Amino acid sequence: MYTGQLGMESPVLRARCPVQEQRARWERKRARTARELLETERRYQEQLGLVATYFVGILRAKGTLRPPERQALFGSWELIYSASQELLPYLEGGHWGQGLEGFCPHLELYTQFAANAEKSRTTLQEQLKKSKRFRRFVRLQEGRPEFGGLQLQDLLPLPLQRLQQYENLVVSLAENTSPNSPDHQQLTRAARLISETAQRVHTMGQKQKNDQHLRRVQALLSGRQAKGLTSGRWFLRQGWLLVVPPSGKPRPRMFFLFSDVLLMAKPRPALHLLQRGTFICRALYPMAQCQLHKVFGHSGGPCGGLLNLSFPREKLLLMSTDQEELVHWYHSLTLAISSQKN
């Protein structure tokens, strides 16, 4: 005789299969990622369109900037806008793999845009400084309610910021798509190509920042010996340190650390009016030949610590009263030495 136990669900049936649970988690994350990609693409395309309409288009029509200056300022902006216009209908239709794979040939536009980024920034600064007509035009357009208080200089990096978002979202979308899904291979290829482009653009950005540092440091160095000292180098850090001699008082010196050398300089005398604020190079120390040791001062004393740098023909004892600054110098020097020995 059967009892009411017939209506009770078996514990085995209640327990969900681990594979099914994993698939459900994948699907939930995929849905969240897809929704975020779609919503952010709509906003991105709207901002691209605002710049294309109210800046690029009107500047072309009015002739406020000559074509070379306009191209230097905006680069491939309009083509990037067109690429987004092609992509968005696929995302809205849920055709993620097809849309993103078709978008990948346009990634070269982002590489070109990144290569032009530094030129774009300097062109904007130069034109705002020397052209009253352009300056008035930019202020007028930035005051439109559509821009929500954003300035042109805030909007120009938009495509490079979006490329980083593409990488994060498309990689997540591919990782959370079942291998059995019809668009898994398309998403995987798109994620790989977007990641490769993002890495190239990141490398270009790092090089542009380094070039800015090198130009700035080169401008600080004066004298014939300073010519070409920074060329081809990778800048790491700069700052004041005290050089501790075998006898006598410590002397303040400005140090510039590059990936391969440590440059020691002293300020020009105040009498040199035309070169005030610049430095004379006193020595170059090769990092490949450097041995570094950290020596801390007494607890509670005024000395933050000492760095002992040994070279084949010279020893350099550097002091800082700022313990944190000394630690930063130690790490940067260690990085430079290891990069040369590797």
Side-chain angles (χ1 to χ4, degrees), residues 30 96-98 100-101 170-171 173-174 177 181 183-192:
R30 172 186 162 90
W96 310 100
Q98 184 181 359
L100 289 165
E101 189 176 46
V170 177
V171 167
L173 194 63
T177 296
S181 174
D183 61 353
H184 178 263
Q185 288 188 354
Q186 291 174 317
L187 287 172
T188 301
R189 284 195 295 269
R192 177 178 57 81

Side-chain angles (χ1 to χ4, degrees), residues 56 60 67-80 109 112-114 116-117 120 156:
V56 186
R60 182 188 295 113
E69 294 160 347
R70 192 176 65 246
Q71 178 62 29
L73 180 55
F74 296 104
S76 52
W77 189 282
E78 290 179 302
L79 294 174
I80 288 174
L109 296 173
Q112 295 169 6
F113 192 85
N116 186 63
S120 173
L156 285 176

